[in-house]
Each structure stands twice: as structure tokens, then as C-alpha cells.
Amino acid sequence: FKLRPISFSNDSSYLPPLRCPAVARLEARNSEPESYLIHGGRTPNNEISAALYVLSVESRGCNRKLTLRCQEKELAGELPGARYGHTASVVYSRGKRACILFGGRSYQPPGERTTETWNSVVDCPPQVFLIDLDYGCSSAHNLPELVDGQSFHMAFSRGDSVFLLGGHTLASDSRPPRLFRLRVELLLGSPKLSCEVLDNGLSITSAITTRLGSDYEYVILGGYRADQQKQLQCCRVALDETGIHIEPHKTPTWSGEICGSRTWFGGSLGLGRALIAVPAEGHPAPTDAFCLYQVSFETEEGSKEGQQQGYSQESTDMEDSGPLEDSEELYFGREPHELEMMTNSDGEDNAYNEEDEEDESQSGYWSRCCNTCHVDANTWEPFYSTELMRPAMIFCSKGEAGHWVHAQCME
């Protein structure tokens, strides 16, 4: 893997590096593009955020140049406090949509903090926060079925319902197999919320969920059953009009490094794929080195189930993978259908080709483009900043109108 920084638009708000925020996807609607809601999270300085951000793609350039737009959304009313390890979900009812926030952890209230417990965290009260995404109004709701705090759980939403699965309660240091169904009616005036306790929950925390071909079908992998006890089994989750259905799913053949490690983490790569990282072993153990694994499950497109590949991220060479600033985000790749759209009219593929990066021994400028690119590396025209380790643009005369391609100074 090579990690590449991507840029934000000039009107973007600063997005701090966040650990364990709540993230929810917003479908494209009217003239608004597809976007993501990001709430809360913990920073490397142990500060906990209470902000809500809306993240969307502003533009896509040639050779996978991506620009994001991040805006902080102002909220009014009963605001959710700073927290991390919680969930955000989007519900739809009566032609309207809203965001549901639940759970998480935060520091003790200022009046209860002492020198010894200054950095101690507690579960947030089991309130449900409903945020109107059009007007930014937030309201807090107390439901009698929710009596304990809940963190590092999972949330699945469909229509007007949100299913809360698993989680950890700090007060009792337990992972009870809980499963709740929240229903939201976005009535005129004031919304109506109800909660139902279901009996087919799972005892699991910090799990990874990846969506299969269906919009409401997922695979759960990773996570913990107890402290330092990983959950090696996988589950399949399906949502329909009647509720939620959970059943065991075929488990990949985990490698020895995964089985022997005490910790693991990762995230979804979309459509039945997930990325898992475990600390690399060694004597002495390498600093900040991890073994990365891609796990693939069967989808409606017929991809192979349980396929697994290993990658080792051990190089810290700046030319191999440059260090990222705190304000920069990571972008791993595109979906296959997006790469097809990048093919030009002459049939040449302008998509990223890893072979173009193999030879970086020569100084000067190198470019990523088509095989018949007519770029003269000695005569180039900058399109934007050419600061150290920042990409520039040079013009390729290939095609009727030509196109801009990346160039990067290697000195």
C-alpha cells in the first residue's frame, strides 16, 4: 500500500485528526452530492470533539486527483456533548431525514474531576440525540429501555429504524449481548421515538462491518469478545421489513500473525472487502510497523469468498510513502466502475498504473500517464504549487485537446 494525501477545498473547515468518531453516509439528494457525517472523536492530544462535520467530494481530476469539501455544521437546541466510540445513523421518515447519535464515552463532568481522575472517562448517559439535518436542530430523548451507557457498538439503519448491536458498558466492565431497535417518526412539530429490546444480540465490541452487494446486507468481522480476546468468527447481518436477521458466516482462514496477535483493527473497503492491521512482530519489534491484510467476502458480483492477501508496511522512506500532516486524509483507491470512466476516447487508459512508479532512481520530474504520452519532461508547465514533495501538473498533448498529468520533484 502507498498512502497518498488528498487536498481540501479553500472553503473547507479544519478537520482535526480524530480517533473513534461516529460516521454516517448521506445519500445524494436533490442537488446535494453524496456526503458523510462525522461527529465527535478523540484527538492525539486526548481532546474530545463535539463538532459535526459534513464531508463530500468537491471534484475529481485526472489520475485520481481528489479534492474534498469539509464543512462544520452548526447545531442548536439540546446538543450532544463531546464523545467518542459512539454511532451515527441516518433515518428516513415521511419524506424527511435525520441523524441519530447514541452512546460513546467522554471525560467526567468538570465538577467531578479530580487530580487523580482528570483523564478518566465514563460512559455517556444513554440518551438518543436526534439531529434535523436541514435546520441543524438537535433534541435529546430518554427511552426507558435504554438504562446503561454503551460504547464501541454497531449501528445498522434502514428506513425509519436503527438497530444497536453489541457494545461495552464501562460501569460494569461487561459486553452484554444487547440488541435494540429504535424507530423514529418525523412528525410535524415534534418527532416520536420508540425502542424495542430484541433477544438475538451479540457480545462484541469494536467490530468491522462491510456491506455486501445489497444495501442492507453486511458481514461482521474482527472485534473483541473480552479484553485481549479477539472475535475470530464472522456473522452475516440482513435487514428487511420485518427486522434484523443474524447468522454465522464462513470465516476466512486467518494467518498465524492474526491469530497470535492480541490486538487488531481496520475498516471496510466497500462491497465485501475489509482491511485488517496487526502489529508486526520482530526482535526488536519495528516501530510503527503493521502487517496489513485484505479480506474479501462473496458479493452479488460473485467475488471469491474468504480471499486473503498479506502486505507488510515496513518502509518509512519518504519517497515510498510520504508522511502525512494531521490535517490530511487518506485515499486508498476507486471503485472499478469509476476507473472505467477515466478511459479517454482513443481507448488509452489514463488510470493510475503502479508500474509507472517503479523506477524513481533518476532525479528530476517523472509523470504518470498513458504509454504513448508526448510529455517532454524538460519542457513542462506548472498548473499549481510545486513545493517540496507536492505534486505539480504538466500538459500532455495526447488526444484532441490534450490533458494534464501529475509530475513530482524527486529532489
Side-chain angles (χ1 to χ4, degrees):
F1 286 102
K2 288 192 176 182
L3 307 181
R4 303 178 180 278
I6 55 179
S7 59
F8 288 88
S9 61
N10 293 331
D11 61 344
S12 291
S13 304
Y14 172 71
L15 181 63
L18 300 172
R19 308 291 187 267
C20 303
V23 181
R25 175 178 173 268
L26 272 177
E27 298 179 356
R29 184 181 185 184
N30 299 330
S31 59
E32 300 177 358
E34 176 192 26
S35 58
Y36 287 85
L37 299 175
I38 303 175
H39 180 270
R42 193 170 185 172
T43 71
N45 295 327
N46 282 332
E47 298 175 348
I48 302 179
S49 172
L52 176 65
Y53 300 94
V54 181
L55 188 69
S56 60
V57 175
E58 183 181 67
S59 63
R60 296 183 188 271
C62 66
N63 281 338
R64 308 202 310 180
K65 174 61 182 176
L66 187 71
T67 302
L68 296 180
R69 185 172 186 263
C70 179
Q71 294 292 312
E72 183 174 353
K73 192 170 186 64
E74 296 183 2
L75 301 179
E78 299 173 299
L79 305 182
R83 62 191 63 204
Y84 70 99
H86 56 305
T87 56
S89 307
V90 179
V91 293
Y92 299 86
S93 172
R94 301 176 182 268
K96 297 183 290 184
R97 64 182 182 181
C99 177
I100 292 289
L101 292 179
F102 178 73
R105 290 178 182 167
S106 185
Y107 290 122
Q108 292 183 349
E112 301 177 10
R113 300 172 72 179
T114 63
T115 303
E116 291 77 12
T117 63
W118 192 257
N119 290 325
S120 299
V121 294
V122 294
D123 287 325
C124 296
Q127 292 179 308
V128 177
F129 289 90
L130 181 67
I131 300 176
D132 187 312
L133 298 175
D134 295 326
Y135 301 100
C137 298
S138 175
S139 57
H141 302 266
N142 295 287
L143 302 176
E145 294 81 4
L146 302 175
V147 295
D148 295 319
Q150 194 168 339
S151 304
F152 302 105
H153 53 281
M154 293 169 285
F156 305 92
S157 62
R158 175 171 181 167
D160 62 355
S161 298
V162 177
F163 297 89
L164 304 174
L165 177 63
H168 180 266
T169 298
L170 195 60
S172 59
D173 190 19
S174 62
R175 293 171 173 83
R178 291 179 295 195
L179 177 59
F180 302 101
R181 179 176 186 173
L182 299 179
R183 286 190 174 181
V184 181
E185 292 186 70
L186 300 177
L187 305 173
L188 292 176
S190 61
K192 179 182 178 181
L193 279 74
S194 61
C195 181
E196 180 183 2
V197 181
L198 305 178
D199 58 0
N200 56 334
L202 297 176
S203 176
I204 189 172
T205 58
S206 301
I208 303 169
T209 60
T210 179
R211 183 174 63 85
L212 297 179
S214 170
D215 288 340
Y216 305 111
E217 194 170 2
Y218 306 85
V219 170
I220 300 175
L221 70 155
Y224 299 88
R225 300 179 60 185
D227 291 343
Q228 308 298 329
Q229 183 182 354
K230 302 194 305 296
Q231 170 65 280
L232 297 176
Q233 288 75 32
C234 299
C235 293
R236 192 184 192 102
V237 176
L239 307 180
D240 56 23
E241 292 79 4
T242 61
I244 184 172
H245 307 278
I246 305 174
E247 59 184 19
H249 190 75
K250 183 178 179 180
T251 301
T253 303
W254 302 117
S255 68
E257 291 82 1
I258 292 180
C259 294
S261 66
R262 292 187 299 173
T263 60
W264 59 348
F265 58 93
S268 173
L269 295 178
L271 287 181
R273 295 180 297 124
L275 182 71
I276 291 180
V278 298
E281 300 292 339
H283 300 285
T287 304
D288 296 333
F290 301 91
C291 294
L292 303 180
Y293 298 86
Q294 176 178 298
V295 184
S296 300
F297 294 91
E298 184 181 14
T299 64
E300 292 180 356
E301 286 74 15
S303 61
K304 294 183 180 180
E305 182 175 359
Q307 182 179 359
Q308 190 176 24
Q309 296 178 343
Y311 301 88
S312 179
Q313 180 183 322
E314 298 178 356
S315 174
T316 57
D317 188 353
M318 181 175 293
E319 292 184 359
D320 192 19
S321 181
L324 303 179
E325 300 295 333
D326 285 345
S327 60
E328 292 174 328
E329 294 295 322
L330 306 183
Y331 181 61
F332 286 95
R334 284 193 175 182
E335 298 296 334
H337 71 276
E338 294 180 294
L339 294 176
E340 294 175 0
M341 297 174 61
M342 297 171 62
T343 304
N344 62 22
S345 58
D346 293 337
E348 299 290 346
D349 192 357
N350 291 334
Y352 166 69
N353 186 357
E354 186 177 358
E355 295 179 355
D356 297 331
E357 290 190 352
E358 290 299 323
D359 185 9
E360 298 178 357
S361 59
Q362 298 181 354
S363 62
Y365 287 85
W366 58 273
S367 60
R368 302 198 303 264
C369 191
C370 52
N371 294 330
T372 56
C373 179
H374 295 167
V375 167
D376 183 355
N378 298 317
T379 305
W380 57 277
E381 182 179 354
F383 187 58
Y384 58 90
S385 172
T386 59
E387 298 174 3
L388 180 64
M389 298 308 296
R390 300 292 183 182
M393 299 293 280
I394 58 180
F395 190 79
C396 172
S397 58
K398 173 69 177 176
E400 297 180 358
H403 56 276
W404 293 94
V405 297
H406 279 283
Q408 181 169 340
C409 180
M410 302 308 297
E411 290 186 334

